[in-house]
Amino acid sequence: MPTATAPARAPRPRDKRPGPRRAARTVLSPLTAWLTRPLASFHLLLAVFGLLTVFGLVMVLSASSVDSFTSAGSSYSVFGKQVLYCLAGLVFFYAALRAPVKLLRRISLPVMVACLVLLVLVLTPLGTEINGAQSWFYVGVSFQPVEFAKIALAVWGAHVLVTKRALLTQYRHLLVPVVPAALLMFALVVLQPDLGSTVTLFIVLAALLWFAGAPLRMFGVMLLGGVTAVVALAMVAEYRLARLTSFLDPTGDPSGSGYQAMQARFALADGGLFGRGLGQGWSKWQYLPNVHNDFIFAVIGEELGFVGCLMVLVLYGTTAYAGMRIATRNTDPFIRLLSATLTTWLVGQAVINIGYVVGLLPTTGLPLPLISSGGSSVVTTMLVFGLLANFARHEPEAIAALRSLGPGRVGRLLRLPTPAPYRPPGRRRPRQSTPPSRPGAKSSGTAGARRGSTTRARGTRNGPGSRAQTRGGHR
């Protein structure tokens, strides 16, 4: 008896709408392909640098317009100075972009000594006191020597640690002379007094030791000592103690020590998701002190909302990615250590500034890099970006592309030299001592043979196919 078969079901039509995975693949695959290019780190860093600079100028103009009109009768006085500072910073950026790596290592010690001398001189009557801290020199324009001392400590410390990298397993070679010089710099900055710059110098020292491979127990001791020093300094100075108590309880004195923190939170809350609009914020109408300097992130949140704040976080996150990418893709240990240290300092300062604006950290007075107004901070930050861009062109893939395909559009426009590849130093071989000849022995033939064998040995050691010549070792 034949059995009835069920009719076959028609296949379901496939949904042609792209799923989330396919959409993510569609977006990420061009980005991944672009990041595999030899000069991707260089172009990515230049893009972030340009965006932060332009965004910083726009926000300085918006945040300082009321204060500038009140004090100088023009809404563009602070903005005009900031433009001049950016032009000066571009000169430093270009100089750092063209500087050879060997030159940076050669001048690191003289620059470090010069910065220490300036930190001593700023404590004398030659220095100028502004906002309770004698941290400035005034020579037509005011500048802070401690901002340049941060870069000097990073470059010189990286040079010393890389030179002694074979001995860093011993504590005395790991700590001396970098840590004593850093402690001297800390003491000179504390005497100004400038607690915020002391914190950033501590970040530079900790980054140097961390990326040099220091043991973890050393950082536990450093963290304990740093916290103890900060608490002790806060107890000594009354204004530091007021900052600490206002951080713990900002509503305890809302019209005094907690006023600035409370107004910053009000500005962020007033911005909402998309903000009130560029130039439409109320906090700059003398409600929030230092609105165009230390607390400019509050203006960003008020006028551009959460979206604007997220954009700033993405830019600094991209800076961190680009800097660490440069450090990991290079073969020169000096470039690796210095790139990671400068990136940690730059992003760490941004995290501290954003942290105390949103109420997660005590107020330290550190500017937001490339966004806050200020001459010394903008110039030194552009100098750091110039160094990182220079190191991005020293990646092995970038050097090979520049040598085979030419300098490219950006290199041709800026007239950048082709970087030299890194050649590790050759190992020194111990000298072989020749035994003294016996008195009265005839050694003319043996001496000649010995000289001939020595000549042949030297010829084979330094010949065209030798290890020293192929590796390019230098004494």
Side-chain angles (χ1 to χ4, degrees), residues 30-357:
L31 178 61
T32 306
W34 182 80
L35 288 175
T36 57
R37 295 183 178 182
L39 291 171
S41 302
F42 177 67
H43 294 147
L44 181 62
L45 197 70
L46 288 184
V48 175
F49 171 70
L51 289 174
L52 281 175
T53 304
V54 174
F55 183 77
L57 287 174
V58 171
M59 293 312 303
V60 167
L61 175 61
S62 175
S64 65
S65 57
V66 176
D67 192 16
S68 298
F69 186 82
T70 304
S71 59
S74 172
S75 299
Y76 303 97
S77 62
V78 175
F79 173 73
K81 293 179 181 179
Q82 189 71 8
V83 171
L84 294 179
Y85 292 145
C86 288
L87 292 177
L90 288 176
V91 175
F92 282 85
F93 171 84
Y94 185 67
L97 184 58
R98 292 180 57 92
V101 177
K102 291 183 179 179
L103 178 63
L104 293 176
R105 300 187 66 172
R106 193 179 304 123
I107 67 173
S108 61
L109 179 58
V111 173
M112 180 69 177
V113 174
C115 288
L116 287 174
V117 172
L118 289 177
L119 289 177
V120 172
L121 292 178
V122 79
L123 298 174
T124 66
L126 296 175
T128 304
E129 182 177 346
I130 299 177
N131 295 329
Q134 192 164 345
S135 308
W136 281 264
F137 285 112
Y138 186 79
V139 285
V141 292
S142 59
F143 73 95
Q144 285 182 281
V146 67
E147 295 292 338
F148 297 93
K150 300 172 187 176
I151 303 179
L153 176 61
V155 177
W156 175 75
H159 168 66
V160 171
L161 292 175
V162 168
T163 304
K164 303 171 66 175
R165 64 184 180 274
L167 305 172
L168 293 183
T169 54
Q170 306 175 22
Y171 276 103
R172 62 188 183 93
H173 290 288
L174 178 64
L175 301 178
V176 180
V178 175
V179 174
L183 292 178
L184 175 61
M185 192 174 286
F186 292 173
L188 293 174
V189 176
V190 168
L191 291 176
Q192 294 179 3
D194 189 352
L195 183 60
S197 296
T198 308
V199 172
T200 53
L201 286 172
F202 180 81
I203 292 176
V204 171
L205 176 62
L208 281 172
L209 296 177
W210 175 269
F211 293 111
L216 289 177
R217 57 180 175 272
M218 180 181 296
F219 295 97
V221 175
M222 291 178 61
L223 181 61
L224 181 60
V227 172
T228 305
V230 169
V231 173
L233 291 174
M235 295 298 179
V236 170
E238 185 177 352
Y239 76 96
R240 296 197 194 110
L241 184 60
R243 287 182 178 181
L244 185 59
T245 54
S246 65
F247 163 69
L248 297 175
D249 185 16
T251 59
D253 189 9
S255 59
S257 59
Y259 176 78
Q260 200 171 21
M262 293 295 297
Q263 291 297 324
R265 295 185 188 183
F266 292 155
L268 291 171
D270 197 21
L273 184 60
F274 297 103
R276 300 178 58 89
L278 189 63
Q280 303 300 318
W282 288 101
S283 60
K284 60 190 176 185
W285 291 84
Q286 298 183 351
Y287 288 105
L288 179 60
N290 296 326
V291 67
H292 56 83
N293 193 353
D294 300 343
F295 281 80
I296 197 170
F297 189 75
V299 181
I300 297 173
E302 183 183 18
E303 297 186 352
L304 302 180
F306 175 77
V307 176
C309 295
L310 183 62
M311 181 178 65
V312 173
L313 295 178
V314 168
L315 288 176
Y316 285 119
T318 309
T319 303
Y321 168 76
M324 292 304 175
R325 173 188 168 98
I326 293 168
T328 54
R329 290 169 65 91
N330 264 285
T331 55
D332 189 343
F334 172 74
I335 292 180
R336 292 169 64 92
L337 180 56
L338 184 56
S339 300
T341 301
L342 293 178
T343 304
T344 304
W345 160 44
L346 197 66
V347 178
Q349 181 170 327
V351 169
I352 292 174
N353 178 275
I354 296 173
Y356 70 69
V357 170

Side-chain angles (χ1 to χ4, degrees), residues 427-439:
R427 296 180 179 178
R428 295 186 179 183
R429 296 187 177 183
R431 296 181 180 180
Q432 296 180 356
S433 58
T434 57
S437 59
R438 291 175 295 177

